[in-house]
mmCIF file of all heavy atoms in Angstrom:
data_model
loop_
_atom_site.group_PDB
_atom_site.id
_atom_site.type_symbol
_atom_site.label_atom_id
_atom_site.label_comp_id
_atom_site.label_asym_id
_atom_site.label_seq_id
_atom_site.Cartn_x
_atom_site.Cartn_y
_atom_site.Cartn_z
ATOM 1 N N LEU A 1 -29.136 30.609 -0.388
ATOM 2 C CA LEU A 1 -30.073 29.647 -0.976
ATOM 3 C C LEU A 1 -29.474 29.033 -2.223
ATOM 4 O O LEU A 1 -29.556 27.795 -2.439
ATOM 5 C CB LEU A 1 -31.403 30.245 -1.265
ATOM 6 C CG LEU A 1 -32.280 30.493 -0.071
ATOM 7 C CD1 LEU A 1 -33.582 31.238 -0.483
ATOM 8 C CD2 LEU A 1 -32.627 29.164 0.598
ATOM 9 N N LEU A 2 -28.859 29.848 -3.030
ATOM 10 C CA LEU A 2 -28.242 29.313 -4.243
ATOM 11 C C LEU A 2 -27.130 28.354 -3.966
ATOM 12 O O LEU A 2 -26.915 27.377 -4.620
ATOM 13 C CB LEU A 2 -27.743 30.449 -5.133
ATOM 14 C CG LEU A 2 -28.808 31.276 -5.853
ATOM 15 C CD1 LEU A 2 -28.168 32.472 -6.522
ATOM 16 C CD2 LEU A 2 -29.553 30.461 -6.864
ATOM 17 N N LEU A 3 -26.339 28.681 -2.911
ATOM 18 C CA LEU A 3 -25.216 27.886 -2.563
ATOM 19 C C LEU A 3 -25.636 26.552 -1.801
ATOM 20 O O LEU A 3 -24.787 25.710 -1.641
ATOM 21 C CB LEU A 3 -24.176 28.596 -1.735
ATOM 22 C CG LEU A 3 -23.451 29.722 -2.511
ATOM 23 C CD1 LEU A 3 -22.511 30.523 -1.611
ATOM 24 C CD2 LEU A 3 -22.701 29.186 -3.734
ATOM 25 N N THR A 4 -26.884 26.499 -1.440
ATOM 26 C CA THR A 4 -27.360 25.193 -0.849
ATOM 27 C C THR A 4 -27.463 24.131 -1.912
ATOM 28 O O THR A 4 -27.417 22.952 -1.699
ATOM 29 C CB THR A 4 -28.703 25.365 -0.137
ATOM 30 O OG1 THR A 4 -29.713 25.710 -1.105
ATOM 31 C CG2 THR A 4 -28.640 26.216 1.054
ATOM 32 N N GLU A 5 -27.697 24.611 -3.178
ATOM 33 C CA GLU A 5 -27.804 23.728 -4.294
ATOM 34 C C GLU A 5 -26.416 23.181 -4.826
ATOM 35 O O GLU A 5 -26.280 22.038 -5.039
ATOM 36 C CB GLU A 5 -28.478 24.430 -5.525
ATOM 37 C CG GLU A 5 -29.866 24.880 -5.216
ATOM 38 C CD GLU A 5 -30.880 23.761 -4.977
ATOM 39 O OE1 GLU A 5 -30.692 22.790 -5.698
ATOM 40 O OE2 GLU A 5 -31.681 23.847 -4.136
ATOM 41 N N ASP A 6 -25.526 24.119 -4.909
ATOM 42 C CA ASP A 6 -24.177 23.738 -5.481
ATOM 43 C C ASP A 6 -23.265 24.915 -5.280
ATOM 44 O O ASP A 6 -23.699 26.052 -5.128
ATOM 45 C CB ASP A 6 -24.319 23.410 -7.000
ATOM 46 C CG ASP A 6 -23.095 22.674 -7.551
ATOM 47 O OD1 ASP A 6 -22.291 22.184 -6.739
ATOM 48 O OD2 ASP A 6 -23.035 22.508 -8.810
ATOM 49 N N GLU A 7 -21.971 24.678 -5.352
ATOM 50 C CA GLU A 7 -20.971 25.752 -5.293
ATOM 51 C C GLU A 7 -21.075 26.585 -6.549
ATOM 52 O O GLU A 7 -21.461 26.036 -7.610
ATOM 53 C CB GLU A 7 -19.619 25.182 -5.042
ATOM 54 C CG GLU A 7 -19.111 24.226 -6.087
ATOM 55 C CD GLU A 7 -17.783 23.642 -5.736
ATOM 56 O OE1 GLU A 7 -17.553 23.274 -4.576
ATOM 57 O OE2 GLU A 7 -16.942 23.540 -6.613
ATOM 58 N N ALA A 8 -20.621 27.818 -6.444
ATOM 59 C CA ALA A 8 -20.672 28.682 -7.653
ATOM 60 C C ALA A 8 -19.691 29.813 -7.471
ATOM 61 O O ALA A 8 -19.369 30.239 -6.316
ATOM 62 C CB ALA A 8 -22.061 29.274 -7.802
ATOM 63 N N GLY A 9 -19.228 30.367 -8.600
ATOM 64 C CA GLY A 9 -18.405 31.596 -8.592
ATOM 65 C C GLY A 9 -19.246 32.762 -8.613
ATOM 66 O O GLY A 9 -20.487 32.711 -8.759
ATOM 67 N N LYS A 10 -18.639 34.004 -8.496
ATOM 68 C CA LYS A 10 -19.367 35.205 -8.465
ATOM 69 C C LYS A 10 -20.148 35.409 -9.744
ATOM 70 O O LYS A 10 -21.335 35.803 -9.741
ATOM 71 C CB LYS A 10 -18.424 36.411 -8.200
ATOM 72 C CG LYS A 10 -17.946 36.520 -6.822
ATOM 73 C CD LYS A 10 -17.061 37.747 -6.637
ATOM 74 C CE LYS A 10 -16.501 37.756 -5.174
ATOM 75 N NZ LYS A 10 -15.585 38.910 -4.979
ATOM 76 N N ALA A 11 -19.522 35.164 -10.902
ATOM 77 C CA ALA A 11 -20.181 35.386 -12.188
ATOM 78 C C ALA A 11 -21.360 34.430 -12.308
ATOM 79 O O ALA A 11 -22.455 34.769 -12.758
ATOM 80 C CB ALA A 11 -19.280 35.196 -13.347
ATOM 81 N N GLY A 12 -21.218 33.183 -11.860
ATOM 82 C CA GLY A 12 -22.285 32.268 -11.922
ATOM 83 C C GLY A 12 -23.471 32.638 -10.966
ATOM 84 O O GLY A 12 -24.612 32.517 -11.351
ATOM 85 N N LEU A 13 -23.115 33.115 -9.802
ATOM 86 C CA LEU A 13 -24.156 33.605 -8.856
ATOM 87 C C LEU A 13 -24.871 34.798 -9.427
ATOM 88 O O LEU A 13 -26.136 34.851 -9.396
ATOM 89 C CB LEU A 13 -23.538 34.058 -7.524
ATOM 90 C CG LEU A 13 -23.045 32.889 -6.627
ATOM 91 C CD1 LEU A 13 -22.191 33.407 -5.444
ATOM 92 C CD2 LEU A 13 -24.253 32.088 -6.131
ATOM 93 N N ALA A 14 -24.139 35.735 -10.109
ATOM 94 C CA ALA A 14 -24.772 36.880 -10.731
ATOM 95 C C ALA A 14 -25.779 36.422 -11.803
ATOM 96 O O ALA A 14 -26.932 36.894 -11.835
ATOM 97 C CB ALA A 14 -23.742 37.828 -11.354
ATOM 98 N N ARG A 15 -25.393 35.452 -12.628
ATOM 99 C CA ARG A 15 -26.275 34.938 -13.669
ATOM 100 C C ARG A 15 -27.522 34.245 -13.036
ATOM 101 O O ARG A 15 -28.642 34.496 -13.487
ATOM 102 C CB ARG A 15 -25.586 33.911 -14.547
ATOM 103 C CG ARG A 15 -24.835 34.509 -15.755
ATOM 104 C CD ARG A 15 -24.417 33.418 -16.738
ATOM 105 N NE ARG A 15 -23.660 32.308 -16.106
ATOM 106 C CZ ARG A 15 -22.415 32.293 -15.774
ATOM 107 N NH1 ARG A 15 -21.735 33.392 -16.030
ATOM 108 N NH2 ARG A 15 -21.824 31.253 -15.241
ATOM 109 N N LEU A 16 -27.302 33.507 -11.997
ATOM 110 C CA LEU A 16 -28.444 32.840 -11.372
ATOM 111 C C LEU A 16 -29.420 33.779 -10.707
ATOM 112 O O LEU A 16 -30.599 33.581 -10.579
ATOM 113 C CB LEU A 16 -27.974 31.799 -10.318
ATOM 114 C CG LEU A 16 -27.193 30.579 -10.811
ATOM 115 C CD1 LEU A 16 -26.548 29.816 -9.688
ATOM 116 C CD2 LEU A 16 -28.199 29.693 -11.561
ATOM 117 N N LEU A 17 -28.902 34.959 -10.282
ATOM 118 C CA LEU A 17 -29.703 36.049 -9.714
ATOM 119 C C LEU A 17 -30.392 36.902 -10.785
ATOM 120 O O LEU A 17 -31.104 37.738 -10.483
ATOM 121 C CB LEU A 17 -28.845 36.922 -8.839
ATOM 122 C CG LEU A 17 -28.324 36.259 -7.516
ATOM 123 C CD1 LEU A 17 -27.243 37.041 -6.884
ATOM 124 C CD2 LEU A 17 -29.467 36.072 -6.545
ATOM 125 N N GLY A 18 -30.020 36.617 -12.055
ATOM 126 C CA GLY A 18 -30.627 37.362 -13.131
ATOM 127 C C GLY A 18 -29.923 38.655 -13.476
ATOM 128 O O GLY A 18 -30.434 39.516 -14.122
ATOM 129 N N HIS A 19 -28.642 38.769 -12.985
ATOM 130 C CA HIS A 19 -27.835 39.967 -13.268
ATOM 131 C C HIS A 19 -26.895 39.750 -14.399
ATOM 132 O O HIS A 19 -26.461 38.556 -14.598
ATOM 133 C CB HIS A 19 -27.046 40.374 -12.046
ATOM 134 C CG HIS A 19 -27.853 40.599 -10.835
ATOM 135 N ND1 HIS A 19 -27.315 40.610 -9.564
ATOM 136 C CD2 HIS A 19 -29.203 40.832 -10.641
ATOM 137 C CE1 HIS A 19 -28.306 40.813 -8.717
ATOM 138 N NE2 HIS A 19 -29.468 40.982 -9.307
ATOM 139 N N LYS A 20 -26.638 40.723 -15.183
ATOM 140 C CA LYS A 20 -25.661 40.580 -16.328
ATOM 141 C C LYS A 20 -24.205 40.523 -15.881
ATOM 142 O O LYS A 20 -23.428 39.913 -16.462
ATOM 143 C CB LYS A 20 -25.897 41.712 -17.345
ATOM 144 C CG LYS A 20 -27.249 41.614 -18.021
ATOM 145 C CD LYS A 20 -27.416 42.724 -19.060
ATOM 146 C CE LYS A 20 -28.756 42.621 -19.648
ATOM 147 N NZ LYS A 20 -29.030 43.701 -20.586
ATOM 148 N N THR A 21 -23.947 41.317 -14.842
ATOM 149 C CA THR A 21 -22.542 41.395 -14.363
ATOM 150 C C THR A 21 -22.561 41.244 -12.818
ATOM 151 O O THR A 21 -23.599 41.362 -12.217
ATOM 152 C CB THR A 21 -21.890 42.718 -14.721
ATOM 153 O OG1 THR A 21 -22.684 43.831 -14.133
ATOM 154 C CG2 THR A 21 -21.824 42.910 -16.205
ATOM 155 N N VAL A 22 -21.357 41.089 -12.250
ATOM 156 C CA VAL A 22 -21.230 41.014 -10.806
ATOM 157 C C VAL A 22 -21.254 42.439 -10.279
ATOM 158 O O VAL A 22 -20.378 43.258 -10.632
ATOM 159 C CB VAL A 22 -19.880 40.290 -10.429
ATOM 160 C CG1 VAL A 22 -19.749 40.261 -8.951
ATOM 161 C CG2 VAL A 22 -19.873 38.915 -11.057
ATOM 162 N N SER A 23 -22.221 42.748 -9.433
ATOM 163 C CA SER A 23 -22.387 44.072 -8.915
ATOM 164 C C SER A 23 -21.535 44.272 -7.630
ATOM 165 O O SER A 23 -21.040 43.329 -7.038
ATOM 166 C CB SER A 23 -23.818 44.355 -8.520
ATOM 167 O OG SER A 23 -24.185 43.504 -7.390
ATOM 168 N N GLY A 24 -21.319 45.499 -7.293
ATOM 169 C CA GLY A 24 -20.583 45.866 -6.072
ATOM 170 C C GLY A 24 -21.283 45.303 -4.835
ATOM 171 O O GLY A 24 -20.641 44.815 -3.891
ATOM 172 N N GLU A 25 -22.608 45.319 -4.888
ATOM 173 C CA GLU A 25 -23.372 44.774 -3.799
ATOM 174 C C GLU A 25 -23.209 43.253 -3.627
ATOM 175 O O GLU A 25 -23.107 42.728 -2.492
ATOM 176 C CB GLU A 25 -24.881 45.085 -3.936
ATOM 177 C CG GLU A 25 -25.732 44.761 -2.763
ATOM 178 C CD GLU A 25 -25.404 45.488 -1.433
ATOM 179 O OE1 GLU A 25 -24.762 46.514 -1.485
ATOM 180 O OE2 GLU A 25 -25.748 44.904 -0.392
ATOM 181 N N LEU A 26 -23.104 42.538 -4.733
ATOM 182 C CA LEU A 26 -22.820 41.115 -4.659
ATOM 183 C C LEU A 26 -21.434 40.866 -4.063
ATOM 184 O O LEU A 26 -21.352 39.982 -3.222
ATOM 185 C CB LEU A 26 -23.010 40.478 -6.052
ATOM 186 C CG LEU A 26 -22.744 38.934 -6.116
ATOM 187 C CD1 LEU A 26 -23.695 38.217 -5.233
ATOM 188 C CD2 LEU A 26 -22.868 38.449 -7.550
#
């Protein structure tokens, strides 16, 4: 869903998901 809006890196996706860092699950 986030990538339907715009492209993003892992750190950007983590921030948009409300996470402080990129998790192993991500």
Side-chain angles (χ1 to χ4, degrees):
L1 283 175
L2 289 172
L3 293 178
T4 61
E5 298 295 320
D6 197 10
E7 59 186 42
K10 286 181 183 177
L13 287 168
R15 271 193 310 279
L16 291 168
L17 291 164
H19 303 162
K20 292 181 182 177
T21 61
V22 179
S23 67
E25 186 62 21
L26 181 57

